[in-house]
Amino acid sequence: MLSLDGGGIRGLYSACLLELIEERLTDGRGVGDYFDLIAGTSTGGILAVGLGFSKSAKSLATLYRDDGQRIFPPARYKQTKRPMQNYGENLCSPKYDHRPLEALLYRELGDGLLGQSKSRLVVPSFMVPSSEVAVFKTDHHPDYQRDHKTAAWEVCRATSAAPTFFAPHERNGRGFVDGGLWANNPVIVAVTEALSAFAISPDQLRVLSIGTGNQPFEISLKNARGGLWQWKEAVSGAMSLSTDNAAAQVGLMIGSERVIRIEPERQIASIEMDDWEEAVRHLPDAALVSFSENTEKIERFFTKPVHPRERFYT
């Protein structure tokens, strides 16, 4: 299985790592051809759907490099990166216009439906106003009768609607927000899906989990006694904690030796989720370092392609 974390524009790291894998380990095939299940949250969900739709990893990396500045305009980032100003401007509205993101997703996926994915996909999101978790799934099990009819671009938009950055994606009277609120690292979603949907045991699972950098959430005891302003970073802190917790839980469930976790060095985690300029400057090199240091571990996942997935309704 392949698991792809959220992280905004830091998804460029994941895309570049997948591009290196595709160039050097897949014998000309797509990365998605080597995994029985792909899970992705937020920016990782966009990558997961892209792989399921036979997008090359190179084209996905190019998307982040060339089009990322349309989603996270550098001028807008620089104007609002001062805490007080940013807080004031974002108090009642999202920081970025979601329409360029929607246009980009539609350009890449068109009217394609989730069920057209060649790979089994699980993509976490979160529904409001009912406050329910949501996981979009391909029709790889007879119980999954609805999600396959959802437009693929809408699935991507739903999983990546990061609070304070973008407005929720509204569909059928409900709003969908970023799956990173509860599953920024979707590895536990992937493992749970595999064990519940198929007649397999934990020792049959192998997971390649790719992160985007996870900066530790810190808050002083003094600020912890405070109110809204002191806890303004609570959302990102919750995502950070859920990322570490998911990795630890999966290690206990299936054995840590069956999970290969790759993520950039800690200093990369300091790049903000919307800082396109810093991402383009540093993340491709960070991906190259990670690939070089982990080639032997990674290549175990690319010995042979997987069998085509089940299709119950498509």
Coordinates of all heavy atoms in Angstrom, one line a residue, residues 135-194:
V135 N -14.8 9.2 4.1 CA -13.7 8.6 3.4 C -14.3 8.2 2.0 O -15.1 7.3 1.9 CB -13.1 7.3 4.1 CG1 -12.0 6.8 3.3 CG2 -12.7 7.7 5.5
F136 N -13.8 8.9 1.0 CA -14.2 8.5 -0.4 C -13.4 7.2 -0.8 O -12.2 7.2 -0.6 CB -13.8 9.7 -1.3 CG -14.7 10.9 -1.1 CD1 -14.2 11.9 -0.3 CD2 -15.9 11.0 -1.7 CE1 -14.9 13.1 -0.1 CE2 -16.7 12.2 -1.4 CZ -16.2 13.2 -0.7
K137 N -14.2 6.3 -1.4 CA -13.6 5.0 -1.8 C -14.0 4.6 -3.2 O -15.2 4.9 -3.5 CB -14.0 3.9 -0.8 CG -13.6 4.2 0.7 CD -14.1 3.1 1.6 CE -13.8 3.4 3.1 NZ -14.2 2.4 4.0
T138 N -13.1 4.0 -3.9 CA -13.5 3.4 -5.1 C -14.4 2.2 -4.9 O -14.5 1.7 -3.7 CB -12.2 3.0 -5.9 OG1 -11.3 2.3 -5.0 CG2 -11.5 4.2 -6.5
D139 N -15.0 1.6 -5.9 CA -15.9 0.5 -5.7 C -15.2 -0.8 -5.7 O -15.5 -1.7 -6.5 CB -17.0 0.5 -6.8 CG -16.4 0.4 -8.2 OD1 -15.3 1.0 -8.5 OD2 -17.0 -0.2 -9.1
H140 N -14.2 -1.0 -4.8 CA -13.5 -2.2 -4.7 C -14.0 -3.2 -3.7 O -13.4 -4.2 -3.4 CB -12.0 -1.9 -4.3 CG -11.8 -1.1 -3.1 ND1 -11.6 0.3 -3.2 CD2 -11.7 -1.4 -1.8 CE1 -11.5 0.8 -2.0 NE2 -11.5 -0.2 -1.1
H141 N -15.2 -2.9 -3.2 CA -16.0 -3.8 -2.3 C -17.5 -3.6 -2.6 O -17.9 -2.5 -2.9 CB -15.7 -3.4 -0.8 CG -16.2 -4.3 0.2 ND1 -17.5 -4.3 0.6 CD2 -15.6 -5.3 0.9 CE1 -17.7 -5.3 1.5 NE2 -16.5 -5.9 1.7
P142 N -18.2 -4.7 -2.5 CA -19.6 -4.6 -2.8 C -20.4 -3.6 -2.0 O -21.5 -3.1 -2.4 CB -20.2 -6.0 -2.6 CG -19.1 -6.7 -1.8 CD -17.8 -6.1 -2.2
D143 N -20.0 -3.2 -0.8 CA -20.7 -2.3 0.1 C -20.5 -0.8 -0.4 O -21.2 0.0 0.0 CB -20.2 -2.4 1.5 CG -20.7 -3.7 2.2 OD1 -21.6 -4.3 1.6 OD2 -20.2 -4.0 3.3
Y144 N -19.5 -0.6 -1.3 CA -19.2 0.8 -1.6 C -19.9 1.2 -2.9 O -19.4 1.0 -4.0 CB -17.7 1.0 -1.8 CG -16.8 0.5 -0.6 CD1 -15.5 0.1 -0.8 CD2 -17.4 0.5 0.6 CE1 -14.7 -0.3 0.3 CE2 -16.6 0.1 1.7 CZ -15.3 -0.3 1.5 OH -14.6 -0.7 2.6
Q145 N -21.1 1.6 -2.7 CA -22.1 1.8 -3.8 C -22.2 3.2 -4.3 O -22.9 3.5 -5.3 CB -23.4 1.2 -3.5 CG -23.4 -0.2 -3.1 CD -24.8 -0.8 -2.7 OE1 -25.8 -0.3 -3.2 NE2 -24.8 -1.7 -1.8
R146 N -21.7 4.2 -3.6 CA -22.0 5.6 -3.9 C -20.8 6.4 -4.4 O -20.9 7.2 -5.4 CB -22.6 6.3 -2.7 CG -23.9 5.8 -2.3 CD -24.5 6.5 -1.1 NE -23.6 6.5 0.0 CZ -23.8 7.1 1.2 NH1 -24.9 7.9 1.3 NH2 -23.0 7.0 2.2
D147 N -19.7 6.3 -3.7 CA -18.5 7.2 -3.9 C -18.0 7.2 -5.4 O -17.5 8.2 -5.9 CB -17.4 7.0 -3.0 CG -17.7 7.3 -1.5 OD1 -18.8 8.0 -1.3 OD2 -17.0 6.9 -0.6
H148 N -18.1 6.0 -6.0 CA -17.6 5.9 -7.3 C -18.2 6.8 -8.3 O -17.7 7.0 -9.4 CB -17.7 4.4 -7.8 CG -19.1 3.9 -8.0 ND1 -19.7 4.0 -9.2 CD2 -20.0 3.3 -7.1 CE1 -20.9 3.5 -9.1 NE2 -21.1 3.1 -7.9
K149 N -19.4 7.3 -8.0 CA -20.2 8.2 -8.9 C -19.7 9.7 -8.7 O -20.2 10.5 -9.4 CB -21.7 8.1 -8.6 CG -22.2 6.7 -8.7 CD -23.7 6.6 -8.3 CE -24.2 5.2 -8.3 NZ -25.6 5.2 -7.8
T150 N -18.9 9.9 -7.7 CA -18.5 11.3 -7.4 C -17.4 11.7 -8.4 O -16.5 11.0 -8.7 CB -17.9 11.4 -6.0 OG1 -18.9 10.9 -5.1 CG2 -17.6 12.8 -5.6
A151 N -17.5 13.0 -8.9 CA -16.4 13.5 -9.8 C -15.1 13.5 -9.0 O -15.0 13.9 -7.9 CB -16.8 14.9 -10.2
A152 N -14.1 13.0 -9.7 CA -12.7 12.9 -9.1 C -12.2 14.2 -8.7 O -11.6 14.3 -7.6 CB -11.8 12.3 -10.1
W153 N -12.5 15.3 -9.4 CA -12.0 16.6 -9.0 C -12.6 17.1 -7.7 O -12.0 17.7 -6.9 CB -12.1 17.6 -10.1 CG -13.5 18.2 -10.3 CD1 -14.5 17.7 -11.2 CD2 -14.1 19.3 -9.6 NE1 -15.6 18.5 -11.0 CE2 -15.5 19.4 -10.1 CE3 -13.7 20.1 -8.6 CZ2 -16.3 20.4 -9.6 CZ3 -14.6 21.1 -8.1 CH2 -15.9 21.2 -8.6
E154 N -13.9 16.7 -7.5 CA -14.6 17.0 -6.3 C -14.0 16.3 -5.1 O -14.0 16.9 -4.0 CB -16.1 16.8 -6.4 CG -16.8 17.7 -7.4 CD -18.3 17.7 -7.2 OE1 -18.8 18.3 -6.2 OE2 -19.0 17.1 -8.0
V155 N -13.6 15.1 -5.3 CA -13.0 14.3 -4.2 C -11.7 15.0 -3.8 O -11.4 15.2 -2.6 CB -12.7 12.9 -4.6 CG1 -11.9 12.2 -3.6 CG2 -14.0 12.1 -4.9
C156 N -10.9 15.5 -4.8 CA -9.7 16.2 -4.5 C -10.0 17.5 -3.7 O -9.3 17.9 -2.8 CB -8.9 16.5 -5.8 SG -8.3 15.0 -6.6
R157 N -11.0 18.2 -4.2 CA -11.3 19.5 -3.6 C -11.8 19.3 -2.2 O -11.5 20.0 -1.3 CB -12.4 20.2 -4.4 CG -13.0 21.4 -3.9 CD -12.1 22.6 -3.9 NE -12.9 23.8 -3.5 CZ -12.9 24.2 -2.2 NH1 -12.2 23.7 -1.3 NH2 -13.6 25.3 -1.9
A158 N -12.6 18.2 -1.9 CA -13.1 17.9 -0.6 C -12.0 17.6 0.4 O -12.1 18.1 1.5 CB -14.1 16.8 -0.7
T159 N -11.1 16.8 0.0 CA -10.0 16.4 0.9 C -9.0 17.5 1.2 O -8.3 17.5 2.2 CB -9.3 15.1 0.4 OG1 -8.5 14.6 1.5 CG2 -8.4 15.4 -0.8
S160 N -8.9 18.5 0.3 CA -7.9 19.5 0.5 C -8.4 20.9 0.9 O -7.7 21.9 0.8 CB -7.1 19.7 -0.9 OG -8.0 20.0 -1.9
A161 N -9.7 21.0 1.4 CA -10.2 22.3 1.8 C -9.8 22.6 3.2 O -10.5 22.5 4.1 CB -11.8 22.2 1.7
A162 N -8.5 23.0 3.3 CA -7.9 23.3 4.6 C -8.5 24.5 5.2 O -8.6 25.6 4.7 CB -6.4 23.5 4.4
P163 N -9.1 24.3 6.5 CA -9.7 25.5 7.2 C -8.7 26.6 7.3 O -7.5 26.4 7.5 CB -10.0 24.9 8.6 CG -10.1 23.4 8.3 CD -9.1 23.1 7.2
T164 N -9.2 27.8 7.2 CA -8.5 29.1 7.1 C -7.8 29.4 5.8 O -7.6 30.5 5.5 CB -7.4 29.3 8.3 OG1 -6.3 28.5 8.0 CG2 -8.0 28.9 9.6
F165 N -7.5 28.3 5.0 CA -6.9 28.5 3.7 C -7.9 28.6 2.6 O -7.8 29.5 1.7 CB -5.9 27.4 3.4 CG -4.6 27.5 4.3 CD1 -4.5 26.8 5.4 CD2 -3.6 28.3 3.9 CE1 -3.3 26.8 6.2 CE2 -2.4 28.4 4.6 CZ -2.3 27.6 5.8
F166 N -8.8 27.6 2.6 CA -9.9 27.6 1.6 C -11.2 27.4 2.2 O -11.4 26.8 3.3 CB -9.6 26.4 0.6 CG -8.3 26.5 -0.1 CD1 -7.3 25.6 0.2 CD2 -8.1 27.5 -1.1 CE1 -6.0 25.7 -0.5 CE2 -6.9 27.5 -1.7 CZ -5.9 26.7 -1.4
A167 N -12.3 27.8 1.5 CA -13.6 27.6 1.9 C -13.9 26.1 1.7 O -13.3 25.4 0.9 CB -14.6 28.4 1.0
P168 N -14.9 25.6 2.5 CA -15.3 24.2 2.3 C -15.8 23.9 0.9 O -16.2 24.8 0.2 CB -16.4 24.0 3.4 CG -16.2 25.1 4.3 CD -15.7 26.2 3.6
H169 N -15.7 22.7 0.5 CA -16.3 22.3 -0.8 C -17.8 21.9 -0.5 O -18.0 21.0 0.2 CB -15.6 21.1 -1.4 CG -16.2 20.7 -2.7 ND1 -16.4 21.6 -3.8 CD2 -16.7 19.5 -3.1 CE1 -17.0 20.9 -4.8 NE2 -17.2 19.7 -4.4
E170 N -18.7 22.6 -1.1 CA -20.1 22.4 -0.8 C -20.7 21.5 -1.9 O -20.6 21.7 -3.1 CB -20.9 23.7 -0.8 CG -20.4 24.6 0.4 CD -21.2 25.9 0.5 OE1 -22.3 25.9 0.0 OE2 -20.6 26.9 1.1
R171 N -21.4 20.4 -1.4 CA -22.0 19.4 -2.3 C -23.2 18.8 -1.6 O -23.1 18.3 -0.5 CB -21.0 18.3 -2.6 CG -21.4 17.3 -3.7 CD -20.2 16.4 -4.0 NE -20.6 15.5 -5.1 CZ -21.1 14.3 -5.0 NH1 -21.4 13.9 -3.7 NH2 -21.4 13.6 -6.0
N172 N -24.3 18.8 -2.3 CA -25.6 18.2 -1.8 C -26.0 18.7 -0.4 O -26.4 17.9 0.5 CB -25.5 16.7 -1.8 CG -25.3 16.1 -3.2 OD1 -25.7 16.7 -4.2 ND2 -24.6 15.0 -3.3
G173 N -25.8 20.0 -0.2 CA -26.2 20.6 1.1 C -25.2 20.4 2.2 O -25.5 20.7 3.4
R174 N -24.1 19.8 1.9 CA -23.1 19.6 3.0 C -21.8 20.2 2.6 O -21.5 20.5 1.4 CB -22.8 18.1 3.2 CG -24.0 17.3 3.8 CD -23.8 15.9 3.9 NE -23.6 15.2 2.5 CZ -23.4 14.0 2.3 NH1 -23.3 13.1 3.3 NH2 -23.3 13.5 1.1
G175 N -21.0 20.5 3.6 CA -19.6 21.1 3.3 C -18.6 20.1 3.6 O -18.7 19.4 4.7
F176 N -17.6 20.0 2.8 CA -16.4 19.1 3.0 C -15.2 19.9 3.3 O -14.9 20.8 2.5 CB -16.2 18.1 1.9 CG -17.3 17.1 1.6 CD1 -18.5 17.5 0.9 CD2 -17.2 15.9 2.2 CE1 -19.5 16.6 0.7 CE2 -18.2 14.9 2.0 CZ -19.4 15.3 1.3
V177 N -14.5 19.6 4.4 CA -13.2 20.2 4.7 C -12.1 19.2 4.8 O -12.3 18.0 4.7 CB -13.4 21.0 6.0 CG1 -14.4 22.1 5.9 CG2 -13.7 20.1 7.2
D178 N -10.9 19.7 4.9 CA -9.7 19.0 4.8 C -9.7 17.7 5.7 O -9.9 17.8 6.9 CB -8.5 19.9 5.2 CG -7.2 19.4 4.7 OD1 -6.9 18.2 5.0 OD2 -6.5 20.1 4.0
G179 N -9.4 16.6 5.1 CA -9.3 15.3 5.8 C -8.1 15.3 6.8 O -8.1 14.5 7.7
G180 N -7.2 16.3 6.7 CA -6.1 16.4 7.6 C -6.5 16.7 9.1 O -5.8 16.5 10.0
L181 N -7.8 17.2 9.2 CA -8.3 17.5 10.6 C -8.3 16.2 11.4 O -8.2 16.3 12.7 CB -9.6 18.1 10.5 CG -9.7 19.6 10.0 CD1 -11.2 20.0 9.9 CD2 -8.9 20.5 10.9
W182 N -8.4 15.1 10.8 CA -8.4 13.8 11.6 C -7.5 12.7 11.1 O -7.2 11.8 11.8 CB -9.9 13.3 11.7 CG -10.4 12.8 10.4 CD1 -11.0 13.5 9.4 CD2 -10.5 11.4 9.9 NE1 -11.4 12.7 8.4 CE2 -11.1 11.4 8.7 CE3 -10.1 10.2 10.5 CZ2 -11.3 10.2 7.9 CZ3 -10.3 9.0 9.8 CH2 -10.9 9.1 8.5
A183 N -7.0 12.9 9.8 CA -6.2 11.8 9.3 C -5.2 12.4 8.3 O -5.1 12.1 7.2 CB -7.0 10.8 8.5
N184 N -4.4 13.4 8.9 CA -3.3 14.0 8.0 C -2.4 13.0 7.5 O -1.9 13.1 6.4 CB -2.6 15.1 8.8 CG -1.8 16.0 7.9 OD1 -2.3 16.6 6.9 ND2 -0.5 16.1 8.1
N185 N -2.1 12.0 8.3 CA -1.3 10.8 7.9 C -2.3 9.7 7.7 O -2.8 9.1 8.7 CB -0.3 10.4 8.9 CG 0.5 9.2 8.5 OD1 0.2 8.5 7.6 ND2 1.5 8.9 9.3
P186 N -2.7 9.3 6.5 CA -3.8 8.4 6.3 C -3.4 6.9 6.4 O -4.1 6.0 6.0 CB -4.3 8.7 4.8 CG -3.0 9.1 4.1 CD -2.2 9.9 5.2
V187 N -2.2 6.6 6.9 CA -1.7 5.3 6.9 C -2.7 4.4 7.7 O -2.9 3.2 7.4 CB -0.3 5.2 7.5 CG1 -0.2 5.6 8.9 CG2 0.3 3.8 7.3
I188 N -3.2 4.9 8.8 CA -4.1 4.1 9.6 C -5.4 3.8 8.9 O -6.1 2.8 9.0 CB -4.4 4.7 11.0 CG1 -5.0 3.6 11.9 CG2 -5.2 5.9 10.9 CD1 -4.9 4.0 13.4
V189 N -5.9 4.8 8.1 CA -7.1 4.6 7.2 C -6.8 3.5 6.2 O -7.7 2.7 6.0 CB -7.4 5.9 6.5 CG1 -8.7 5.8 5.7 CG2 -7.6 7.0 7.6
A190 N -5.6 3.5 5.6 CA -5.3 2.5 4.6 C -5.2 1.1 5.2 O -5.8 0.1 4.7 CB -3.9 2.8 4.0
V191 N -4.6 1.0 6.4 CA -4.5 -0.3 7.0 C -5.8 -0.8 7.5 O -6.2 -2.0 7.3 CB -3.5 -0.3 8.2 CG1 -3.6 -1.5 9.1 CG2 -2.1 -0.1 7.7
T192 N -6.6 0.1 8.1 CA -8.0 -0.3 8.5 C -8.8 -0.8 7.3 O -9.5 -1.8 7.4 CB -8.7 0.8 9.2 OG1 -7.9 1.2 10.3 CG2 -10.1 0.5 9.6
E193 N -8.7 -0.1 6.2 CA -9.4 -0.5 5.0 C -9.0 -1.9 4.5 O -9.9 -2.7 4.2 CB -9.2 0.6 3.9 CG -9.8 0.2 2.5 CD -11.3 0.2 2.6 OE1 -11.9 0.8 3.5 OE2 -11.9 -0.4 1.7
A194 N -7.7 -2.1 4.5 CA -7.2 -3.4 4.0 C -7.7 -4.5 4.8 O -8.2 -5.6 4.3 CB -5.7 -3.3 3.9

